[in-house]
């Protein structure tokens, strides 16, 4: 990875931007979020939070377990708006991306 590696794909935040935030005094994911918008994209940090915590851990020479988890807000997993509106059930939804892909006729199952 170099400084141009995208860590938060939703907000297009690079490793260099995260390292700059850490050098500016950010020590938690939420600090970095406030400085860079990292974690504020559609996935709400579900994709990037572990990578950012690893960068914090390595940059500050701190064990990963000691790096604070991001503050999570409801819903805690990807949820279709239809489920929230009561028009769909969540039991049939495994992944928002998987379901939307299957509606378009894309088969993600590997043939053996
Ligand atoms: S990848 Fe960072 S908010 Fe989605």
């Amino acid at each position: 990875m170099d400084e141009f590696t995208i860590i938060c794909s939703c907000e297009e935040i690079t490793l260099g931007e995260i390292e700059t935030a850490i050098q500016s005094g950010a020590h938690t994911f939420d600090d970095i979020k406030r400085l860079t918008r990292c974690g504020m994209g559609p996935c709400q940090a579900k994709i990037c939070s572990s990578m950012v915590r690893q960068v914090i851990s390595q940059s500050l020479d701190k064990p990963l377990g000691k790096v604070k988890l991001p503050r999570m807000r409801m819903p805690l997993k990807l949820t279709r708006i239809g489920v929230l509106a009561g028009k769909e059930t969540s039991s049939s939804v495994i992944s928002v991306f998987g379901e939307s892909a299957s509606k378009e006729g894309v088969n993600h199952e590997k043939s053996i």
Side-chain angles (χ1 to χ4, degrees), residues 8-10 39-41 43-45 47-48:
C8 175
S9 53
C10 293
M40 298 176 83
C43 84
Q44 291 290 290
I47 295 172
C48 60

Side-chain angles (χ1 to χ4, degrees), residues 7 18 29 32 38 48-57:
I7 299 295
I18 291 169
F29 183 90
I32 291 170
C38 177
C48 60
S49 64
S50 62
M51 285 186 286
V52 172
R53 289 182 63 235
Q54 286 178 359
V55 173
I56 294 169
S57 170

Side-chain angles (χ1 to χ4, degrees), residues 16-36 56 59-60 62:
E17 291 172 290
I18 291 169
E19 289 173 338
T20 300
I22 292 169
Q23 289 164 5
S24 300
H27 292 152
T28 66
F29 183 90
D30 290 332
D31 292 341
I32 291 170
K33 182 178 179 178
R34 286 183 206 103
L35 290 172
T36 67
I56 294 169
S59 297
L60 300 177
K62 194 175 184 180

